[in-house]
Amino acid sequence: MSVTTGKFGEDIRKELEDDYRVFYVTAWGYAADHYFGWLPKALNSHREIFALLAHEGSRPKYLKERLRSERPELVPFTEFLNDMGMTYAAIGDCYSYRAMQFAPLLSNPTYSGIPVVNLLRHPVVWLEFYIRWRAGNMRMRAGASDPLAHEWRVASHALFRALGLKEYDKNEIDVWAAYQGMTQLGAVLSDLNAVQNHVPIEQIIESPELFQKLVRLLTKEKVIFEQEDLDRAYEMVPTLFPGEAPVNANPRTLYESWPGWKVDAFRKLVRSEVAEVYRRFGYDLFDLDKPGTLVSVKQPGPDLSRPIFVSSLMKAGTWLVRGMLEELTGLKPYEPEIRPGQPDYADESLIDFPAGHFFSWHMVLTPHVEAVLRGAGAHNFFIVRNVFDLILSMYNHLQNDVDAALGRSVGGAGCFNGIEDETAIAMVINGFSDRTLTWRGLSPHLKHMESLFQAASKGLGTLITYEGIVVQKSEVLKLMADRIGLQLTDDMIARIEAETSVEKMQERAVARGNEGHFRSENQRQPRNMITENHVNMVRSLLIRDAPELGGLVAGAGLSWLLTPLGSK
C-alpha cells in the first residue's frame, strides 16, 4: 500500500516555489517620528501588504533574548517573514535593520532580488526625534530603564570629552543623546554603498506618485494602489497616531532654536562629506556645518577619544596592567561595585567608562559584552596566563584570603590547613564547598580564557600574557601604546617600568591593604606541586567546558599556556 500526501498537501507546498514576497525598508530608527510611522500604516492600508513597524528593534526592549543593537541574521529572518506572509502578496519589515547590514543577504544569489529601500530624513529633524525618543525613555513604562542604560553605555563619551564639547551627566539625556545622534548621522556614508535605493521620506509624503513607485518596487509589481487606496493612505498624513506627540518638525525653526553648544557639537561631530550627502538629497543645512567643520579628533598623546577596556583572568596581573595603563594614559582604573554574592562577570550592564577612567575587571566576553564593546568603539586588552601557574596562585589566594583587607573576603582563610598538597591542588582545580567557602574550581576561568581568545580571533582586542609582561615589559608597553595611539620615548618607557616595578607595586598594595597578592620567593608554591593527575584533571575540564580553547591558543602560537611549567 502506497502512502501519499495527496493533492491537498501538494498544493500547499507548491507555494514554496514562488518568488520571495519579502521586502525591507531601512532607516536609522523610528523614534515615534510621524512620517516614519505613516509609511508602514499606509502600506498596510492595502489588504495584500503586511508591513511590520520596527518589530525587531522593539522586541529586545521586552524579551531579553539579545541586546538592542543586535538583530536576527537576515537570511533566516527573511525565510521566517516569507513563511509568515504566505497569504499576502508582500510582507516586509520597516526600520528594524540598517542598510549597511544587508551585504550578506544581497550578495547571496538566492536573496539578491529582495527589495530594500533606505529612507532618509532631514538631519536636524531626525536629531529632534532621536533625542526625544531617548529623553522619553523610549516608550518604556516607568521603572524600566534597561534600553536607555544601554544607550548610555555605548555612547562615545570619550570622543565628546576629547572634542571639548559641553559637559553633561547621565541625567542630561538631551545633551549626550544629541552628541550620539550626531555621530550616527555619519552612517549615511556606509548606507550609500550597501543598497541601491535611497529616498527622503519627505518626498514620499509629498508625492503619491512616488509612493506608488515605492509600492511597485517593494512588492515586485504585485500590488498597485488604486486611487481610493492612495486617498485612504494620504488621509492619514495629517493625523498623529497613538504613541506619537506633536513635534515641531520644521528644520529651520528647530535649527534656529539650538543653543550654541549644540551648533558647536554639530560642526565638530558631523564631517563635511556627511553633510554633503544630505545636501545631494536636497536637504538645506542652513550652513550649519560650515564654520569649523573639519575638526581634528586626534589629540596629542594617547587617542582618548575611544574608551579602554581590560578583561584579565583572575591572578593574571590585573593590578600590574592597571598600573601600566594608568602611567600610559593618565586615566584611573574603574571596576564595577562588587555586590554581595557571586559576581556576574558576564553582565554587560556593568560595563561603564566614567570620565577619566578605563574599565578593568574579569569580564567574560559573551556576545552581549562583545556588542557593547563594538558599540563603544573601545580599545580592548585581554590578559591571560599559564593555567597551571594560575592554579598555584589561586591556591595562595584561597589559603590566605588575600582580598580580605579590601573588604572582599572569600571567607576561606586556612582552608587547606592539614590537607596534603596534591589533594589541595585537586580541590583548586575541581572545586569544593565547606562551611566557610564555596569554590567553583578552574572551570569558570577556562571558559573566561576561551571567551578572550574567541574575541581576539575576531579582531576585537589584543591578547597579552602575564608572562610576557614579566619578561619583556617594555615590549608590552610599546604594544599597548601602539594600540591606544601613543608614541613612547625610551625615557617614558624607563619611567613607566620603574613606576610599575615589583617594589613600587608592592608599596601601593600595602597602601591599599592587599599586600597578600605579593609573595616572597620562599612563600611561593613550587611548580612541582602540579602532578600528572592534576594535568589530567585540567585536560578533562578543557574537553568538557572549554573545548575550543586548545585550538585557539595553538592558533595564536601560545600552546604553552596550557602546558604545566615544571611539573613532576
Side-chain angles (χ1 to χ4, degrees):
M1 182 178 69
S2 63
V3 179
T4 178
T5 59
K7 187 174 185 304
F8 182 70
E10 291 165 3
D11 283 346
I12 290 177
R13 286 159 183 78
K14 219 168 91 173
E15 297 293 331
L16 297 176
E17 299 173 10
D18 291 350
D19 189 17
Y20 284 91
R21 61 201 68 228
V22 177
F23 66 83
Y24 290 97
V25 178
T26 65
W28 276 87
Y30 156 56
D33 183 335
H34 177 63
Y35 281 9
F36 284 140
W38 170 83
L39 181 64
K41 283 185 77 82
L43 293 171
N44 280 324
S45 69
H46 197 289
R47 64 179 179 272
E48 284 299 327
I49 300 178
F50 187 172
L52 297 165
L53 171 57
H55 183 270
E56 293 303 317
S58 297
R59 182 183 177 95
K61 292 197 298 183
Y62 304 98
L63 305 177
K64 308 302 182 184
E65 304 158 321
R66 50 186 163 80
L67 290 181
R68 286 199 68 246
S69 58
E70 296 177 315
R71 297 290 184 270
E73 291 183 22
L74 273 164
V75 167
F77 188 68
T78 298
E79 294 288 351
F80 161 69
L81 283 184
N82 201 58
D83 187 347
M84 180 179 171
M86 192 64 69
T87 57
Y88 292 83
I91 181 171
D93 180 277
C94 298
Y95 319 138
S96 289
Y97 291 86
R98 312 302 181 225
M100 61 184 180
Q101 294 175 292
F102 276 84
L105 184 79
L106 298 180
S107 62
N108 185 323
T110 303
Y111 307 98
S112 59
I114 299 290
V116 182
V117 174
N118 181 54
L119 298 183
L120 295 97
R121 188 76 156 108
H122 193 293
V124 172
V125 178
W126 180 87
L127 272 171
E128 181 70 12
F129 283 101
Y130 180 93
I131 297 164
R132 284 174 173 268
W133 186 244
R134 283 146 185 79
N137 200 26
M138 308 169 78
R139 203 185 276 166
M140 296 290 287
R141 296 186 185 277
S145 60
D146 284 356
L148 186 60
H150 169 78
E151 296 286 326
W152 166 262
R153 285 197 303 275
V154 301
S156 303
H157 302 294
L159 171 62
F160 309 150
R161 289 193 297 271
L163 290 176
L165 304 182
K166 171 183 161 71
E167 295 183 358
Y168 54 87
D169 61 34
K170 191 173 184 178
N171 295 321
E172 293 178 286
I173 301 169
D174 61 315
V175 180
W176 62 262
Y179 297 161
Q180 189 65 10
M182 290 172 189
T183 64
Q184 289 196 5
L185 288 173
V188 70
L189 298 176
S190 301
D191 291 341
L192 285 179
N193 296 322
V195 300
Q196 290 185 344
N197 303 294
H198 305 268
V199 186
I201 183 64
E202 296 92 340
Q203 293 181 14
I204 300 172
I205 290 288
E206 294 168 2
S207 171
E209 293 76 17
L210 183 57
F211 174 74
Q212 182 76 278
K213 290 180 181 178
L214 177 68
V215 170
R216 289 173 179 268
L217 173 64
L218 294 177
T219 67
K220 301 179 180 178
E221 302 288 340
K222 295 173 185 173
V223 176
I224 298 174
F225 269 59
E226 303 296 341
Q227 189 59 50
E228 64 178 294
D229 299 323
L230 285 171
D231 291 343
R232 185 168 57 250
Y234 276 81
E235 283 172 359
M236 295 186 288
V237 170
T239 306
L240 290 177
F241 305 133
E244 298 176 347
V247 176
N248 176 10
N250 183 299
R252 177 172 289 280
T253 57
L254 282 173
Y255 157 64
E256 290 174 350
S257 70
W258 278 15
W261 63 263
K262 203 168 185 178
V263 176
D264 177 62
F266 191 96
R267 290 171 176 166
K268 291 179 177 179
L269 290 168
V270 180
R271 304 198 306 276
S272 59
E273 57 267 36
V274 173
E276 186 56 34
V277 168
Y278 284 104
R279 284 198 183 87
R280 292 209 312 264
F281 280 101
Y283 291 119
D284 182 358
L285 299 187
F286 323 113
D287 291 331
L288 177 60
D289 62 311
K290 290 299 183 185
T293 297
L294 298 177
V295 177
S296 174
V297 174
K298 187 70 174 176
Q299 303 294 311
D303 178 9
L304 301 183
S305 64
R306 293 172 57 187
I308 297 171
F309 171 93
V310 180
S311 177
S312 54
L313 294 180
M314 175 183 172
K315 313 307 300 176
T318 299
W319 285 98
L320 174 56
V321 172
R322 288 175 178 176
M324 292 165 65
L325 274 173
E326 189 172 350
E327 294 295 329
L328 274 171
T329 66
L331 302 176
K332 299 290 185 183
Y334 167 83
E335 68 174 39
E337 179 183 355
I338 307 297
R339 300 163 183 164
Q342 182 73 17
D344 186 357
Y345 295 117
D347 183 358
E348 74 279 356
S349 70
L350 298 177
I351 299 174
D352 199 3
F353 301 103
H357 292 75
F358 61 88
F359 183 92
S360 171
W361 207 36
H362 308 303
M363 292 297 300
V364 178
L365 270 289
T366 66
H368 284 192
V369 170
E370 289 182 5
V372 169
L373 297 180
R374 287 193 183 93
H379 296 292
N380 305 312
F381 297 100
F382 309 140
I383 317 303
V384 296
R385 186 181 183 183
N386 178 276
V387 296
F388 293 96
D389 280 6
L390 275 181
I391 292 167
L392 297 174
S393 190
M394 288 170 177
Y395 172 96
N396 172 71
H397 189 94
L398 298 173
Q399 172 69 359
N400 298 304
D401 197 9
V402 297
D403 281 341
L406 296 176
R408 301 179 189 171
S409 172
V410 295
C415 57
F416 301 126
N417 288 349
I419 298 175
E420 293 288 334
D421 286 347
E422 184 164 357
T423 301
I425 296 298
M427 291 167 67
V428 173
I429 295 170
N430 295 306
F432 63 91
S433 183
D434 62 22
R435 59 185 176 81
T436 61
L437 169 66
T438 294
W439 170 251
R440 300 177 188 275
L442 186 64
S443 178
H445 307 280
L446 294 177
K447 292 178 181 177
H448 181 192
M449 188 173 181
E450 183 180 56
S451 79
L452 298 182
F453 272 89
Q454 287 170 335
S457 70
K458 302 171 190 174
L460 192 58
T462 302
L463 281 166
I464 295 175
T465 68
Y466 170 76
E467 292 79 1
I469 298 173
V470 172
V471 175
Q472 290 184 308
K473 186 186 292 182
S474 63
E475 294 305 310
V476 175
L477 282 168
K478 291 175 185 176
L479 174 64
M480 296 173 76
D482 178 69
R483 295 294 187 267
I484 297 168
L486 173 65
Q487 296 296 320
L488 284 180
T489 65
D490 290 342
D491 288 344
M492 293 169 68
I493 292 173
R495 177 184 61 78
I496 296 173
E497 284 192 299
E499 288 298 318
T500 56
S501 65
V502 173
E503 294 75 20
K504 284 284 187 179
M505 295 298 294
Q506 192 163 10
E507 286 178 18
R508 296 188 184 103
V510 170
R512 288 192 303 266
N514 65 337
E515 63 271 21
H517 285 270
F518 290 84
R519 291 166 288 155
S520 63
E521 193 66 39
N522 61 2
Q523 290 175 316
R524 294 173 186 166
Q525 278 62 49
R527 283 174 171 161
N528 63 13
M529 286 177 68
I530 301 294
T531 69
E532 189 63 29
N533 286 335
H534 299 142
V535 174
N536 292 335
M537 291 174 193
V538 172
R539 286 174 180 160
S540 176
L541 293 180
L542 285 167
I543 293 169
R544 187 188 71 190
D545 297 324
E548 296 182 23
L549 184 54
L552 289 166
V553 298
L558 297 172
S559 294
W560 57 268
L561 288 172
L562 302 181
T563 302
L565 306 176
S567 61
K568 288 181 182 177

